[in-house]
Amino acid sequence: MKIRAREIFETAKDDLCYSEVGSVSEIDVVDKTAVRIINNIYREIFYKLYSSGYKPITTLDDFIDLPEDIIFNCFINGVASKLAFDYGDGNLQAYFGSLYNQGLNLFNTITQIEDVLPSDYEN
């Protein structure tokens, strides 16, 4: 699934309620750090999926191509966790960090179980 980096960042800000009036979103620095934050999480997730070919984004209009479940169950939560950490929001950082780690566990699941007989190694 291809998604714009801006959509990931805006969704993370919405999840943190940073898009509301009077919140962190009114600090000019928030949007300036978006590319750095997204690249930090994108790099980690990319190398869990693939062994090479990582290209960091340069603007929020760049597309990120990852599986849909990884984007919504892991990537957005990782961006939200990093954003909350950067602004000293400890409770939200812990919550979204936990969700991000649960999403990273998706990489460790077995997708297909195969039914086989044990090998006859003693004969």
Side-chain angles (χ1 to χ4, degrees):
M1 171 181 183
K2 283 189 174 187
I3 187 169
R4 282 194 196 278
R6 180 177 312 282
E7 293 176 52
I8 290 173
F9 190 71
E10 292 300 323
T11 303
K13 277 190 356 183
D14 287 344
D15 288 352
L16 290 164
C17 298
Y18 286 179
S19 296
E20 297 175 3
V21 174
S23 69
V24 175
S25 69
E26 294 181 357
I27 300 172
D28 294 336
V29 182
V30 173
D31 290 333
K32 291 179 183 177
T33 62
V35 172
R36 179 184 51 84
I37 289 171
I38 289 172
N39 278 332
N40 285 340
I41 302 300
Y42 184 30
R43 182 178 53 247
E44 182 176 3
I45 291 173
F46 186 89
Y47 283 116
K48 285 198 173 281
L49 290 171
Y50 312 108
S51 60
S52 64
Y54 171 73
K55 292 180 184 171
I57 64 166
T58 55
T59 69
L60 288 178
D61 291 323
D62 290 350
F63 282 96
I64 293 173
D65 189 14
L66 291 172
E68 185 175 2
D69 59 338
I70 299 299
I71 289 172
F72 291 106
N73 292 327
C74 186
F75 201 134
I76 293 172
N77 294 326
V79 171
S81 174
K82 182 76 172 120
L83 185 59
F85 177 79
D86 284 353
Y87 293 98
D89 197 343
N91 290 334
L92 285 176
Q93 189 279 326
Y95 175 72
F96 282 99
S98 174
L99 292 177
Y100 175 59
N101 287 330
Q102 289 174 15
L104 287 177
N105 287 334
L106 290 173
F107 295 103
N108 300 328
T109 59
I110 298 172
T111 57
Q112 183 177 3
I113 297 174
E114 196 173 314
D115 189 16
V116 296
L117 294 172
S119 64
D120 191 16
Y121 65 91
E122 291 181 358
N123 291 332

